[in-house]
Amino acid sequence: MSEYKLELTTGDWHNAGTWDHIYVTLFGTQGQSERTELDNFGIDFKTGTTGNYTLKSKSSLGKLLLVKVEKDPFFVPLEDEWYFSKVVVTTPEGDVLLFPCYRWISRGELVELRGGRALKVFEEELPLLIEHRKNEMILKKSFYQWKNLAEGLPHHSDFNKTSELPAEVRFSKSKLTESDDTNKMIGLELKFKGLLGSIETWESLEEMKGIFWCKKTAMSEYVAEHWKEDDFYGYQFLNGVNPNGIKRCSALPKNFPVTEVMVKPFLEEGSSLQEEMKNGNIFLLDQKKMDGIAPRVYNGQPLHVTAGLCLFYLNPENKLMPIAIQLHQQPSEQNPIFLPSDPEVDWLLAKMFIKNADAMDHQSVHHLMNTHFLAEAYAVATLRSFSAIHPLHKLLFPHFRYTLYVNTRVRNGLSGPDGALSISSLGYDGVTELMRRTLSEITYSSLCLPENITARGLESIPNFYYRDDGLKLWDIINSFVKAVVEYYYPSDSEVCKDTDLQEWIGEIFTHGFLGNKASGFPEGFHTVEEVIKFITMVIFTVTAQHAAVNNGQFDYMSWMPNGTLLLRKPPPTIKGKSSMDTMLEALPNVDETIKFAAQFLVLSEKYEDTVPMGTYPEERFDEPVLRQMIKEFQAELSLLSEAIAKRNLHLEIPYPYLNPAEIENSITV
């Protein structure tokens, strides 16, 4: 008799264990074992435990290829799902093979697991494994199908409800409970205060500070105190939730007739606008892509969305100061250029309308579309194109943890017809059009941070912590990806031969970027370097970029005057006619304010069920060299984390959002 030693691990998730019967069958090059129940004395398959079992076969099975695991009902009448992590098999010949699973198994379900070294499709030789891989991919393509949310937007998975999602991409029970409890507690607090449903206008800015009793951060309180200050306003376009808009300005747009006389008082004494532009100290935010989008109808009247222009000056104290604002693209008497020397409320309102447009651009484009929606395109393509044994599936799958579940929720929540974006100034249709316009003009280089920073001329602007931390993270990710990809693809010919890899990038190009050849996104891969760059971009997007645009939302946006998605009144057209009452009437009413703030709180909340960036608790790679690469990746991230934490101790306004310790390994919220 040949004996196979099995170490079978049950996950440590809440209620991960099972009372059901578990059976195992081994398949090798020289045959298969009997179907054997795994049963030790006492309770098997308890949460967070590893059970040791012996499976006997009449003779050696040869090289071990597959492990089939089946789950049959015990006497418990209700569904008894089991989170099966992995099984490690020691063969009679002394080989130790890892067979990873890491998913929930339902009653009556079976899984067939591949073990050993990751393999590309053209490396398969054995008929059993070739057939297994073929059947696996047929099943995956039937599970994960493409669907179009709206014309001109990235395609997404064909799941209408979270209950339809396969077990491998669902929330854990603990994550679902924690997420639902957070929403309930926020709702209860707001109901208790009597704020939900109130259509009253806020009587004062001070009254707005009492939305939440306990849900405050040091940063949210700082914002509430300093939001009016011009230097803090400028700072946010570098290090706030949307550091993606401004660029260096070497010549004013013809439709933005700012004169030397207008801005001379705000420049260094003896300098001029032309001189400061020549010196690289003038920057521009141009919201022209929003021009002409029809706003939402509110109380029977269309709201107002300003596709404005804002000019910034980097002063000798290295502070980025707004010095001129025009709220519409075409200059006219009814579209004056606002200046810091104008009446206080006029200048504040001008800044608020710029931030209103920026908030909608941030939430719909830079947060939802460029991270959530594109991440889903990368994830669906990965699930459809790669077998679980493929090296790039092993590398990428942990970076899509919970993403399909979150996005299915998002389509029915934040970005849906009844979500927070639907009550923004643009409304659901307007936000959809903004995303559509942006995707039609998006470029590959704009999603690659080093090229993005260079294209916007922001290589040397000081105190730009998003850039500083982001570029270091990009380099660390790139080094890790380079090591992994070059290990499995030692030559360009290996890239060209991998039909799964070519299918993957083809699906992303077609369904993520809608086949737009002008975008510069690859339709296929020809070199190892091309693969490294693209995968670096994917991992950076779902980790660092999402953290940068998501994690500070409550900090910066829960105080509505600092960046509201909704302004209810038209912008000023004549200077000197606005008052504080004008501002309060323009801001969202009580119910709208608390809905926005609650949404930002949910998005920024820290949850217990998280996997920090670079952490791979699921053992998917069996090769020791890959495990060493992961350790080196984690070490580099740890060093950066320490450096950022140390720097932040000396900053008046810390920038923690790209500290690797604060970044999740995937988009989970």
Side-chain angles (χ1 to χ4, degrees):
M1 298 290 287
S2 296
E3 290 191 350
Y4 290 81
K5 303 294 185 183
L6 279 62
E7 298 175 23
L8 191 144
T9 301
T10 297
D12 58 2
W13 301 115
H14 180 62
N15 289 332
T18 183
W19 289 90
D20 283 351
H21 299 283
I22 304 298
Y23 298 88
V24 168
T25 308
L26 305 181
F27 294 82
T29 53
Q30 297 178 22
Q32 69 183 70
S33 71
E34 296 289 332
R35 181 177 185 260
T36 304
E37 182 175 4
L38 303 184
D39 186 16
N40 288 333
F41 179 78
I43 300 175
D44 295 291
F45 319 118
K46 291 192 295 184
T47 297
T49 62
T50 297
N52 294 289
Y53 304 91
T54 299
L55 187 151
K56 295 182 180 181
S57 176
K58 292 179 181 178
S59 60
S60 172
L61 302 176
K63 181 182 178 182
L64 197 57
L65 305 177
L66 291 172
V67 175
K68 180 164 75 172
V69 180
E70 300 172 81
K71 179 175 181 288
D72 281 352
F74 190 46
F75 61 83
V76 180
L78 299 176
E79 173 60 78
D80 183 28
E81 284 194 316
W82 172 47
Y83 191 86
F84 173 26
S85 292
K86 63 179 180 177
V87 58
V88 177
V89 182
T90 302
T91 69
E93 294 78 22
D95 295 327
V96 180
L97 299 173
L98 167 69
F99 293 82
C101 182
Y102 298 105
R103 50 164 288 194
W104 293 95
I105 309 295
S106 299
R107 180 163 290 175
E109 189 175 358
L110 66 85
V111 292
E112 291 183 344
L113 307 176
R114 293 279 302 268
R117 186 184 191 277
L119 289 174
K120 303 184 287 295
V121 62
F122 60 85
E123 295 171 324
E124 297 282 20
E125 297 176 346
L126 299 170
L128 175 66
L129 296 184
I130 292 171
E131 185 66 18
H132 177 270
R133 192 171 193 141
K134 177 184 174 183
N135 292 335
E136 177 193 1
M137 297 316 299
I138 290 172
L139 187 62
K140 280 189 159 194
K141 283 181 168 64
S142 71
F143 277 157
Y144 301 102
Q145 299 187 25
W146 293 104
K147 185 177 181 180
N148 192 359
L149 174 67
E151 190 68 30
L153 296 188
H155 300 168
H156 60 86
S157 61
D158 188 24
F159 299 110
N160 297 314
K161 298 180 292 185
T162 55
S163 59
E164 299 172 358
L165 289 161
E168 64 180 341
V169 295
R170 291 205 310 260
F171 269 12
S172 68
K173 294 176 183 177
S174 58
K175 174 73 173 181
L176 183 60
T177 300
E178 190 177 12
S179 176
D180 289 346
D181 286 350
T182 298
N183 281 287
K184 289 175 184 175
M185 290 304 296
I186 292 170
L188 285 172
E189 179 177 345
L190 295 171
K191 279 185 178 180
F192 183 77
K193 290 182 174 182
L195 298 177
L196 280 175
S198 172
I199 60 172
E200 298 296 319
T201 296
W202 293 99
E203 294 183 3
S204 68
L205 294 177
E206 192 65 27
E207 186 185 15
M208 296 177 68
K209 294 182 179 179
I211 295 176
F212 297 109
W213 283 316
C214 305
K215 303 294 184 180
K216 294 180 180 179
T217 66
M219 194 63 221
S220 69
E221 293 191 304
Y222 184 95
V223 170
E225 294 301 319
H226 296 271
W227 69 281
K228 294 181 182 180
E229 299 167 10
D230 284 353
D231 59 339
F232 182 55
Y233 187 83
Y235 170 91
Q236 292 179 69
F237 287 92
L238 295 175
N239 301 305
V241 292
N242 191 14
N244 309 283
I246 69 163
K247 61 182 180 180
R248 193 179 298 275
C249 179
S250 56
L252 288 175
K254 292 181 180 179
N255 60 328
F256 194 19
V258 176
T259 66
E260 293 280 0
V261 173
M262 287 180 183
V263 298
K264 188 175 181 62
F266 318 117
L267 305 178
E268 185 179 15
E269 188 173 351
S271 186
S272 68
L273 182 58
Q274 288 299 319
E275 188 176 338
E276 294 296 348
M277 281 195 288
K278 184 178 178 182
N279 292 337
N281 292 327
I282 301 298
F283 299 84
L284 177 69
L285 176 71
D286 189 347
Q287 298 167 324
K288 60 185 175 183
K289 68 181 176 182
M290 305 183 83
D291 192 30
I293 299 180
R296 177 168 70 97
V297 173
Y298 185 88
N299 290 339
Q301 297 294 323
L303 292 166
H304 297 263
V305 174
T306 58
L309 302 102
C310 183
L311 203 64
F312 295 89
Y313 168 53
L314 184 67
N315 69 18
E317 290 77 40
N318 286 333
K319 294 181 177 180
L320 190 65
M321 309 291 285
I323 58 172
I325 291 174
Q326 180 179 291
L327 291 177
H328 301 283
Q329 286 290 305
Q330 296 307 316
S332 69
E333 289 186 10
Q334 288 73 42
N335 183 28
I337 293 176
F338 292 92
L339 306 169
S341 54
D342 288 336
E344 180 187 18
V345 174
D346 287 343
W347 181 236
L348 282 174
L349 279 170
K351 291 193 293 182
M352 285 172 62
F353 272 93
I354 290 290
K355 285 294 289 286
N356 169 238
D358 184 67
M360 290 185 287
D361 181 45
H362 156 258
Q363 197 65 265
S364 60
V365 172
H366 298 287
H367 179 210
L368 276 177
M369 190 176 77
N370 287 1
T371 63
H372 279 261
F373 292 172
L374 290 181
E376 183 163 4
Y378 307 147
V380 173
T382 298
L383 290 161
R384 285 174 54 84
S385 303
F386 294 137
S387 165
I389 199 67
H390 194 288
L392 295 186
H393 183 281
K394 290 174 179 284
L395 173 64
L396 289 169
F397 186 76
H399 293 290
F400 304 133
R401 176 179 182 260
Y402 293 164
T403 300
L404 267 62
Y405 194 100
V406 164
N407 280 9
T408 304
R409 275 188 157 190
V410 163
R411 285 189 288 274
N412 296 316
L414 175 63
S415 70
D418 299 317
L421 283 174
S422 70
I423 60 171
S424 68
S425 296
L426 279 174
Y428 179 79
D429 291 338
V431 162
T432 301
E433 174 61 21
L434 177 59
M435 289 191 285
R436 183 182 293 117
R437 289 185 180 188
T438 304
L439 187 66
S440 70
E441 299 177 355
I442 200 170
T443 62
Y444 185 22
S445 61
S446 70
L447 299 185
C448 298
L449 186 65
E451 296 168 48
N452 177 300
I453 295 297
T454 300
R456 293 196 283 143
L458 302 179
E459 305 98 314
S460 59
I461 186 171
N463 305 320
F464 191 10
Y465 307 115
Y466 163 76
R467 173 203 60 207
D468 297 344
D469 300 348
L471 289 177
K472 290 170 185 172
L473 275 168
W474 179 279
D475 288 344
I476 291 171
I477 295 168
N478 184 253
S479 295
F480 171 58
V481 171
K482 185 174 188 291
V484 175
V485 171
E486 288 181 346
Y487 178 79
Y488 289 108
Y489 297 89
S491 68
D492 294 343
S493 64
E494 301 262 321
V495 168
C496 296
K497 280 196 298 184
D498 190 348
T499 53
D500 289 349
L501 176 62
Q502 301 301 335
E503 179 185 329
W504 179 67
I505 190 60
E507 290 223 340
I508 291 172
F509 180 73
T510 300
H511 297 283
F513 303 105
L514 307 186
N516 180 8
K517 294 179 182 292
S519 66
F521 286 96
E523 301 175 57
F525 291 128
H526 307 286
T527 68
V528 175
E529 278 302 314
E530 290 172 351
V531 178
I532 292 168
K533 179 181 176 181
F534 194 84
I535 294 178
T536 298
M537 182 276 292
V538 168
I539 294 178
F540 181 86
T541 297
V542 302
T543 56
Q545 185 61 20
H546 180 257
V549 299
N550 177 77
N551 294 1
Q553 290 193 84
F554 185 78
D555 286 346
Y556 282 95
M557 300 180 73
S558 59
W559 178 246
M560 287 302 118
N562 188 58
T564 177
L565 288 163
L566 168 66
L567 287 172
R568 299 183 293 158
K569 296 294 182 180
T573 56
I574 302 173
K575 296 181 181 182
K577 299 292 186 180
S578 300
S579 66
M580 189 57 68
D581 286 341
T582 310
M583 183 187 299
L584 290 169
E585 290 169 2
L587 288 168
N589 66 31
V590 173
D591 181 64
E592 293 156 345
T593 298
I594 60 101
K595 283 180 178 176
F596 286 136
Q599 185 68 66
F600 299 143
L601 177 57
V602 169
L603 292 171
S604 305
E605 188 78 343
K606 296 184 185 299
Y607 296 93
E608 290 185 12
D609 182 3
T610 61
V611 176
M613 181 181 181
T615 304
Y616 300 92
E618 301 172 349
E619 291 182 68
R620 295 184 181 273
F621 287 106
D622 200 23
E623 302 91 319
V625 65
L626 266 296
R627 296 177 187 174
Q628 182 59 34
M629 289 176 189
I630 290 172
K631 285 182 180 178
E632 292 171 3
F633 180 41
Q634 292 168 342
E636 289 295 316
L637 291 173
S638 180
L639 287 174
L640 178 58
S641 181
E642 291 174 11
I644 291 173
K646 185 176 180 180
R647 177 203 65 200
N648 284 344
L649 292 174
H650 305 286
L651 297 179
E652 178 185 356
I653 307 174
Y655 185 77
Y657 307 112
L658 290 184
N659 182 336
E662 303 294 325
I663 300 173
E664 283 206 64
N665 211 33
S666 60
I667 297 175
T668 68
V669 64

